[in-house]
Amino acid sequence: SEAREFCSRAPTAMLVKEFGLSSQPQDDHSRRSMWVLTATGIATGLLLLLSFQGLQDSFTCDHSEGEKGGWVCLELRSMTACRSQIQGPVQVQAQFDMSNGDKANVGVVCPWDSATTELRMFFALGAIASVGAGVLAVWHDSAHFAAVSKSGGVFSTAALLLHTCFDFHSLAASKVENDPMCDVTLSHNMPSGVASVVLHCSQTFYVGTAYLDIVVAGLLLVSSYFVHRWSMYIPIADDGL
């Protein structure tokens, strides 16, 4: 592999060393590579942030009687528990009409499975490491870091795309599981004290996270290509790192 890399870079390196013909193309490739690496780093950081937020579940309750309705909220929490009653990933807004005429608005966030999110965060950190290697390659004119960035970027791209398949599977399973009770008025077999309930379900946040996986994977692949192309303009004798 080292011999092939030498042969691929030797003609370009000779032009740089003997005639100085590639300084302008090298500068152009450096700028383009840095722009792509910066965009990839920003997108990957956003993916890491959304993945962290996607770990958190929450329950909010607003009862018409204020603090006096606290016991009602405790009862409603058991009715909207994640996993046992609602299958994540999904965000649910529930409007409860009580038998005594009171009302309660409940917000429930059921996140991704924790193992799924942790894997995505691990792959995102790997992508950030690949971007960092690419920046070091361009900054220090290092073919070594360019090779690290390329191999890390290709691996992270494949891992993120594979993970995206599991993301969309989780989204589809959640939709199938929750559809019978979403966006319909439920009034039969209600617990004592509850007349009816309407649940509004949304997966927008989680669908956006899954598509961001694809965007980051695409940017990683492009940045790896740009860094590889740029590394061909590095003079062999000047590969400092």
Side-chain angles (χ1 to χ4, degrees):
S1 61
E2 293 180 358
R4 286 197 299 269
E5 181 180 358
F6 177 85
C7 291
S8 65
R9 290 176 52 206
T12 303
M14 291 177 61
L15 289 174
V16 174
K17 186 175 181 180
E18 299 296 335
F19 302 103
L21 296 179
S22 65
S23 63
Q24 184 60 39
Q26 183 181 12
D27 291 341
D28 291 341
H29 277 283
S30 296
R31 284 193 295 269
R32 293 171 186 170
S33 298
M34 288 301 293
W35 275 109
V36 175
L37 286 166
T38 300
T40 305
I42 292 173
T44 309
L46 179 60
L47 177 62
L48 195 61
L49 177 63
L50 293 183
S51 297
F52 180 76
Q53 291 182 341
L55 273 172
Q56 303 171 352
D57 61 347
S58 68
F59 174 87
T60 58
C61 181
D62 180 21
H63 192 268
S64 58
E65 290 188 359
E67 295 182 358
K68 294 181 180 180
W71 66 272
V72 176
C73 289
L74 290 176
E75 292 291 330
L76 298 182
R77 183 161 193 167
S78 64
M79 293 178 56
T80 56
C82 293
R83 296 182 179 86
S84 61
Q85 303 294 333
I86 300 174
Q87 179 68 38
V90 68
Q91 297 173 332
V92 177
Q93 290 293 326
Q95 299 173 343
F96 286 87
D97 290 328
M98 314 306 292
S99 301
N100 60 3
D102 293 338
K103 296 181 181 296
N105 294 316
V106 172
V108 181
V109 175
C110 295
W112 301 98
D113 180 77
S114 58
T116 299
T117 301
E118 289 165 3
L119 270 178
R120 188 190 305 105
M121 294 175 71
F122 175 77
F123 295 145
L125 288 173
I128 290 175
S130 174
V131 170
V135 172
L136 289 175
V138 176
W139 190 265
H140 294 290
D141 288 347
S142 171
H144 170 71
F145 278 125
V148 172
S149 177
K150 176 186 174 183
S151 58
V154 171
F155 170 79
S156 296
T157 296
L160 283 171
L161 290 176
L162 180 62
H163 190 275
T164 302
C165 296
F166 292 103
D167 283 347
F168 281 110
H169 173 74
S170 296
L171 289 166
S174 172
K175 184 175 178 59
V176 170
E177 186 73 21
N178 298 324
D179 258 359
M181 62 180 182
C182 287
D183 299 316
V184 296
T185 300
L186 305 176
S187 57
H188 299 290
N189 299 322
M190 290 289 102
S192 177
V194 178
S196 65
V197 58
V198 179
L199 278 72
H200 301 285
C201 306
S202 173
Q203 292 183 319
T204 303
F205 174 83
Y206 303 102
V207 171
T209 303
Y211 276 112
L212 187 58
D213 274 348
I214 300 175
V215 172
V216 170
L219 285 173
L220 273 173
L221 199 60
V222 172
S223 64
S224 297
Y225 171 76
F226 268 78
V227 171
H228 172 69
R229 284 291 303 274
W230 167 85
S231 68
M232 297 176 67
Y233 287 86
I234 304 175
I236 297 176
D238 296 336
D239 188 9
L241 295 178

